[in-house]
Amino acid sequence: MYNKDNKGGSRHNGHGKPAGHNRSGGPGKFGGPGNYSGSRNFNGPGNDRVYRGGRPGNFGAPRSSESQEAMDAREFSDSRDYGERREFGGREKSIPGVPVRVGYEIDVEIDDLAYGGDAVARYKNFTIFIPYGVPGSFVKAKVTDVKKNFASARIVRVIRESGMDARPPCPYFGQCGGCDWMNVKYSSQIWHKSKIVKFMLEKSAGMPNIKVADIVTYPEPYGYRNRSQYKLRLLNDKIEMGFFKARSHDIIPVDKCLILDPKINEVAAHIKTVLNEKKSEITIFDEDSRRGYLRHIAIRVNSKKESLVTFVVYGKEEKPFLEYAAAYLKEKVEGLKGVVVNFNMEDGNAIFGGREKVLTGRGYITETAAGMDFDLDSGAFFQVNVSMLEKMAEFVRKYTANGSSVLDLYGGVGALTMPSRDKFREIYVVEIDEGAARKLHAMTERNHINNVTVINGRAEDAVERVLNEHHIDVAVIDPPRKGIHPHVISVLKRMKVPNIIYISCNPASFARDIKELKEVYYLKDVVPLDQFAQTYHVEVMARLEAK
């Protein structure tokens, strides 16, 4: 039994943790750490759905109307001190006190890497952001944009290379927007990510002396992503699959992405073949004109190399070519568990709509992580790499005492807390996405797990009620890129939950939240985690203890 809340939806992707949580995904082209991916709308105002032997909940509240653009703008304002930035229009007029103008060519040494992906240089003590610069190198750069406090430039040529240079193995690097730092040695990438976390805590949280542990890394920083969302375009009378170019919404065809699980590349090649067999029946959706049918293609794989394919369409019914494609893929792709059509007629950047139909097989795949089986549909939030998820789950288990009652906010399918269900007395999982909540509830019933309550609703609506009705020893929080909702922080501080474990996909919002929480909590442990190698993104695992 469950009660309905506001129009739920999973976190939608801009490139996102969930809101992330995007969460569905991870950074850049794939929908990443950090915004909400796989957003879906479910009708019916009322109360939060609570699953657990029919115990109802009642945490109703209207949804936030904040747009993704507003979230992005706020995220920029939170992180601008360390250089995260967006592209802006150029300014040709001179600005008093600014030593450069658009079109100037300057010789500079790259000093640093910034959160946001660009390299940082100084020209006459003025900050210049330069994409694809390598620290220690000396370059000639052309100024493309000028602001009062910084300018942007592009590299014209490298005058002197650095010892940190790497030769990017990807032919699309510098064009595709998925990777930022592939031309930087991996050892240097992770060093700079640790430095960014320390800087954020010093600058935004006012904690200059906090100890940051060694960063958790991949033994091999390629082939780690277990899902991808492809954009489509018609080029030279051929349907191409690919991703956004860097700093634009132009689409670059990509035949093989090196940070994706190789199985995804294999499946994508088959999809491209069958689409072009049926191209006379297919129209590609255009975001500007709102015309066309085939919108996106999502591929998800698990550690057994099983796959799930989702065709996202702008329409209300499936067309015949989809049935043909499903049959073709069933024959060609070993380990294919399902092909799904998702109907998304909504405006905006949400990848998925609220209705799906299974064309062949089933509408989910099962991933085994940290000793648990998780059923994942195309839009479900789940970490992009199982080994890194297991590191996060280990962190939660390590710092939670036996017999604890745990509140898991922004909980998804319970991936951080369910692996330790034998250690915890009670687990209360709060998740906004109805599909994820239903799957978690079904998993607890199927496995006869009796100490888990699943609450389908927003964290800010549920947190106070749960804390009033139940004794909670530990709050596990894995929020979207924008960080913990201010009301959640306020309630945690007022009700003084003894321990908090904070898993963050954005060091800027993490440091901002720590600044608020440190009034009531000690920050005891900080561990960076490199879940998105070759990009600027970095996760943070942290433990806080009430004063």
Side-chain angles (χ1 to χ4, degrees):
M1 175 187 291
Y2 63 89
N3 295 326
K4 291 187 176 181
D5 175 26
N6 49 64
K7 294 181 180 179
S10 72
R11 305 125 180 172
H12 60 249
N13 166 38
H15 147 44
K17 222 166 178 175
H21 200 283
N22 108 21
R23 282 176 348 167
S24 171
K29 62 194 178 195
F30 307 104
N35 309 317
Y36 305 154
S37 161
S39 184
R40 305 169 181 220
N41 293 324
F42 298 90
N43 295 323
N47 304 322
D48 288 321
R49 303 169 178 86
V50 177
Y51 304 85
R52 173 153 181 205
R55 297 199 314 214
N58 182 15
F59 313 114
R63 293 182 69 190
S64 168
S65 61
E66 183 176 34
S67 67
Q68 186 65 34
E69 290 74 20
M71 292 179 190
D72 289 343
R74 186 170 53 160
E75 180 181 310
F76 171 69
S77 69
D78 290 339
S79 58
R80 65 184 182 276
D81 286 337
Y82 202 76
E84 182 171 9
R85 47 173 292 277
R86 305 285 189 266
E87 280 296 303
F88 301 99
R91 185 195 297 253
E92 295 187 3
K93 294 181 180 179
S94 62
I95 302 174
V98 174
V100 295
R101 294 174 63 175
V102 172
Y104 276 22
E105 289 194 354
I106 54 177
D107 294 345
V108 291
E109 183 171 5
I110 304 297
D111 297 325
D112 209 344
L113 294 174
Y115 186 70
D118 287 349
V120 185
R122 306 283 292 181
Y123 179 76
K124 297 183 178 180
N125 208 33
F126 188 73
T127 300
I128 312 289
F129 291 108
I130 305 176
Y132 309 116
V134 179
S137 62
F138 199 73
V139 303
K140 180 176 290 293
K142 187 172 184 177
V143 177
T144 57
D145 183 36
V146 179
K147 298 296 174 184
K148 182 178 179 181
N149 296 318
F150 66 89
S152 302
R154 62 175 176 83
I155 295 175
V156 175
R157 64 183 177 90
V158 177
I159 299 171
R160 184 192 69 231
E161 289 192 339
S162 160
M164 299 182 192
D165 284 276
R167 293 289 176 262
C170 176
Y172 308 105
F173 179 72
Q175 303 174 62
C176 171
C179 296
D180 311 286
W181 294 351
M182 193 179 279
N183 60 333
V184 179
K185 287 182 178 178
Y186 188 54
S187 58
S188 183
Q189 291 183 36
I190 59 176
W191 184 87
H192 280 90
K193 290 183 182 187
S194 293
K195 179 181 176 181
I196 286 168
V197 172
K198 294 173 185 176
F199 179 91
M200 293 291 190
L201 286 169
E202 177 180 351
K203 184 77 173 178
S204 300
M207 304 183 76
N209 300 316
I210 195 73
K211 181 180 178 181
V212 175
D214 291 341
I215 188 169
V216 178
T217 64
Y218 288 112
E220 173 55 47
Y222 291 99
Y224 60 83
R225 289 195 62 101
N226 59 23
R227 65 180 176 269
S228 184
Q229 294 154 359
Y230 285 87
K231 311 298 180 185
L232 303 163
R233 65 177 290 192
L234 195 63
L235 182 65
N236 298 325
D237 198 34
K238 185 178 180 182
I239 295 175
E240 297 283 0
M241 298 168 55
F243 307 106
F244 286 137
K245 288 184 178 179
R247 294 171 170 79
S248 85
H249 274 196
D250 294 336
I251 298 167
I252 178 171
V254 174
D255 291 326
K256 181 180 179 181
C257 174
L258 297 182
I259 64 173
L260 292 179
D261 186 301
K263 184 68 177 182
I264 295 179
N265 289 314
E266 175 196 327
V267 175
H270 287 301
I271 294 172
K272 181 178 172 180
T273 297
V274 72
L275 290 181
N276 279 289
E277 279 188 26
K278 291 291 183 177
K279 65 183 177 182
S280 64
E281 302 175 26
I282 302 172
T283 56
I284 304 301
F285 179 74
D286 180 77
E287 294 285 350
D288 295 326
S289 67
R290 314 301 294 173
R291 293 183 177 181
Y293 181 73
L294 188 55
R295 199 166 179 173
H296 308 286
I297 294 171
I299 304 172
R300 173 166 236 147
V301 301
N302 62 17
S303 52
K304 296 178 182 178
K305 305 306 178 185
E306 297 169 338
S307 57
L308 174 69
V309 173
T310 302
F311 292 96
V312 182
V313 303
Y314 187 76
K316 296 180 179 180
E317 301 294 336
E318 75 273 18
K319 293 188 176 182
F321 80 85
L322 291 172
E323 294 285 356
Y324 179 88
Y328 178 93
L329 294 173
K330 183 179 180 180
E331 178 186 347
K332 296 290 186 181
V333 178
E334 183 179 352
L336 181 72
K337 288 301 177 181
V339 179
V340 175
V341 56
N342 177 278
F343 303 97
N344 181 6
M345 298 191 67
E346 300 296 323
D347 294 338
N349 61 2
I351 299 296
F352 302 101
R355 185 170 67 92
E356 287 188 349
K357 179 179 178 180
V358 176
L359 299 173
T360 188
R362 64 194 191 200
Y364 64 92
I365 57 173
T366 301
E367 179 62 277
T368 301
M372 288 289 299
D373 289 340
F374 297 94
D375 292 340
L376 306 172
D377 61 23
S378 51
F381 169 70
F382 202 74
Q383 302 294 345
V384 301
N385 181 271
V386 169
S387 66
M388 288 300 185
L389 168 61
E390 290 176 338
K391 294 287 195 302
M392 297 177 194
E394 288 170 12
F395 187 87
V396 171
R397 186 178 182 89
K398 177 180 178 181
Y399 289 115
T400 305
N402 289 338
S404 294
S405 288
V406 176
L407 173 59
D408 186 354
L409 295 173
Y410 312 96
V413 292
L416 295 177
T417 53
M418 288 292 289
S420 299
R421 66 197 182 282
D422 58 328
K423 183 178 182 178
F424 302 156
R425 182 166 58 87
E426 295 280 349
I427 304 174
Y428 301 89
V429 181
V430 179
E431 168 55 36
I432 191 174
D433 177 47
E434 184 184 28
R438 284 185 181 277
K439 282 186 170 55
L440 177 54
H441 175 63
M443 180 173 66
T444 62
E445 289 199 328
R446 186 171 62 248
N447 293 283
H448 307 290
I449 299 170
N450 300 315
N451 63 335
V452 176
T453 300
V454 183
I455 302 166
N456 178 211
R458 301 188 308 177
E460 58 268 31
D461 299 334
V463 60
E464 190 162 6
R465 177 72 176 271
V466 174
L467 292 179
N468 278 326
E469 293 186 352
H470 308 280
H471 173 75
I472 298 296
D473 301 296
V474 181
V476 176
I477 309 176
D478 184 14
R481 286 186 59 77
K482 62 181 180 178
I484 303 174
H485 191 281
H487 181 66
V488 174
I489 292 178
S490 176
V491 171
L492 291 172
K493 289 168 64 177
R494 174 162 44 85
M495 303 190 77
K496 210 167 184 178
V497 175
N499 299 279
I500 295 173
I501 295 175
Y502 189 161
I503 308 293
S504 170
C505 65
N506 183 347
S509 57
F510 168 74
R512 182 202 64 214
D513 292 344
I514 294 299
K515 180 180 180 181
E516 296 297 320
L517 290 166
K518 74 176 185 179
E519 298 173 8
V520 178
Y521 290 89
Y522 296 111
L523 181 58
K524 304 293 287 187
D525 294 276
V526 179
V527 183
L529 185 146
D530 185 31
Q531 183 165 224
F532 298 100
Q534 317 304 334
T535 82
Y536 71 86
H537 293 275
V538 57
E539 308 271 320
V540 184
M541 304 184 292
R543 178 174 69 97
L544 296 93
E545 189 177 281
K547 294 181 178 179

